Amino acid sequence: MKSLTLILGAILLVAGIAGFLFGGVPYQSQDTILDVGGIEAQVETEKRVDIPPVASAILLVGGVGVLAWGIKKG
């Protein structure tokens, strides 16, 4: 249980930092735009989940809190 709490705290902390540094979390998506017989055309686009600064602060404080609680509990 302690390791799960520490992992959750670390994920929240990293998400909060990513929100402040990058304004969100980027990811890549691959979409098929043409599929005719044996011919297939795909396009790879980079998308981003925007994280508002207030949410980043909440994630950051929450991550620190969960980490501190997990360390204190164990």
Side-chain angles (χ1 to χ4, degrees), residues 1-72:
M1 183 69 174
K2 178 184 173 185
S3 62
L4 182 63
T5 305
L6 294 177
I7 291 171
L8 177 63
I11 290 172
L12 290 173
L13 189 65
V14 168
I17 291 171
F20 277 126
L21 292 179
F22 304 114
V25 179
Y27 67 96
Q28 291 186 354
S29 174
Q30 192 171 33
D31 300 320
T32 302
I33 57 172
L34 179 66
D35 189 7
V36 179
I39 300 173
E40 184 176 294
Q42 295 182 341
V43 64
E44 189 172 298
T45 57
E46 186 171 315
K47 298 179 182 178
R48 184 164 76 173
V49 177
D50 293 329
I51 301 174
V54 173
S56 296
I58 291 170
L59 287 170
L60 192 62
V61 170
V64 169
V66 170
L67 279 174
W69 181 64
I71 291 171
K72 181 181 174 187

